[in-house]
Amino acid sequence: MGARRGVTADGSPLARRRRVVMMVAISATLLSVAGLAASSMIQSPQQAVADARGPGPTVLTAEVEHRTLTDTVIIRGSVAGSRTVEVQPATVEGRTPIVTAVRIKVGASVAAGDVVMEVSGRPIIALPGVKPAYRDLLPGSKGEDVRQLQAALRSLGYKPGKLDGVFGPGTKNALADFYVDLGFEATTTSTTDESAIAAAEDAVVQADRAVEDARDVRARAKQAAVGTTSKALARAEEDALRARRHLAELERVSGTMLPLSEVVFLPAFPARVEKLSAQVGATIKEAPLVLSSGDLVVNASVNAVQRQRLKVGMPTKIDSEASEGTNSGKISAIGELSASSPDGGFSHPVTIKPDEPLPSNLSGQEVRLSIETATTGDRVLVVPQSAVFSVINGSSAVLRQDAHGPLTKIIVSVDASGDGYTAVTPANEGHLKPGDRVLVGDTSLFPDLQ
């Protein structure tokens, strides 16, 4: 039986019409999508300007707090002995001061009795004592500096005799032994003194012989019963006594001595080498060596602005990586403005004295100093310093952000500042309290609240 007219399964006119209708529908859909895409890419001038505008002002806030406010200056310092001594060898007349040996290095520890360096073949010896060396110590010298030398020799195991401050034979012998043990020949007063002593010794010998001759003459006179020569003998004995006294006086003020150029006294040991510019073969023009000694302190420097905030007695925290925990101290001295660096910078030297002795291992170490320049003592209402601004009448104010977003200007009085915060008191009690949030940053974005 043949197929019904208009119905086909193999591409008859009816199937072709269906395909055409479907293609038209797809094309219409594609044209619609393209039109929407094109319309989204086309903007009016007004829309372009609106899209170019930046976002509205961002409000940054910080919490109002209740705390103790402290103002702190933080600087770096170095630990050293409380007494610093520049070792400047005294110039010996007729001798050019040339470094012939250096026995230490920067940071090294120096013990009592050590030879730290040699100048023109002579030693510079570190000895214990609080009084700086200021003169040559000669046989016959008297004073506290002599007593200091005697005590130093005794502490090193020598026997200077009584600690009476008199440079006598005991001190002379002990000093001579000390030099021998160091490997040096002791310095003596002068070759002229040595010659004078030798002459005096000869005079004593001659006087003694004259006494003997006078005694022999008297003895022969007695045997011959011709009278005595007592007067001649008495004179000879007087001459001999005078010669001995002269010799003793020369010996008292001559011989082994301690030159000013060969000693540096330090109050405590071990000492430490802080600076060393001496080089073997160099001529000494300025202090080639700086030693520190005594109780450890912290030396630092501050600029002129920081100086205005500091006073002697201010409490200071001392922190170091070389020691556990924090040590406390106080400013003990603030120096005048002076050049303090190779580039010509100026600063004020500051000394911090610890409340308790610092550990010895901190000597020479750098530390962090936190100097408390001011404190409120009790807890006060504080806001970040950037939250406080000035209003037209010269008062200070903050902008408080309320719970639902609006900002309220609160007039405040500023009491103190520190650590990035300012203590404030609101003009009206209760208008600002801990937990409130205040605007920080640029308040010019809100001119109506200025």
Side-chain angles (χ1 to χ4, degrees), residues 427-447:
N428 296 313
E429 187 176 352
H431 282 199
L432 197 66
K433 59 184 183 300
D436 287 347
R437 301 198 70 83
V438 292
L439 177 71
V440 294
D442 188 4
T443 59
S444 65
L445 299 173
F446 308 93

Side-chain angles (χ1 to χ4, degrees), residues 139-205:
S141 298
K142 298 179 181 180
E144 286 301 316
D145 51 350
V146 176
R147 190 191 309 274
Q148 179 173 268
L149 171 61
Q150 293 170 332
L153 291 170
R154 179 176 290 184
S155 70
L156 294 173
Y158 297 92
K159 299 178 179 180
K162 293 182 179 180
L163 305 185
D164 55 4
V166 178
F167 198 130
T171 304
K172 189 189 308 185
N173 293 334
L175 184 61
D177 292 341
F178 177 50
Y179 265 90
V180 169
D181 291 342
L182 290 177
F184 294 89
E185 183 178 350
T187 300
T188 56
T189 51
S190 71
T191 55
T192 302
D193 290 340
E194 293 175 357
S195 298
I197 289 175
E201 290 174 340
D202 288 342
V204 169
V205 171

Side-chain angles (χ1 to χ4, degrees), residues 17-31:
R17 285 197 298 273
R18 288 177 178 172
R19 287 196 293 272
V20 170
V21 171
M22 183 175 294
M23 291 177 65
V24 170
I26 292 173
S27 298
T29 301
L30 292 174
L31 287 173

Side-chain angles (χ1 to χ4, degrees), residues 39 51 95 105 112 144 156 181 206 236 246 253 287 302-303 314 323 365 450:
S39 64
D51 290 345
R95 183 188 302 172
K105 60 183 180 180
E144 286 301 316
L156 294 173
D181 291 342
Q206 295 302 322
H246 180 59
V253 297
V302 296
N303 58 40
M314 283 183 170
S323 177
Q365 298 291 324
Q450 298 299 304

Side-chain angles (χ1 to χ4, degrees), residues 21 28 51 66 73 123 140 175 193 201 207 271 311 318 321 333 371 393:
V21 171
D51 290 345
H66 210 198
V73 172
L175 184 61
D193 290 340
E201 290 174 340
K311 293 180 180 180
I318 307 169
E321 296 179 355
I371 305 173
N393 63 1

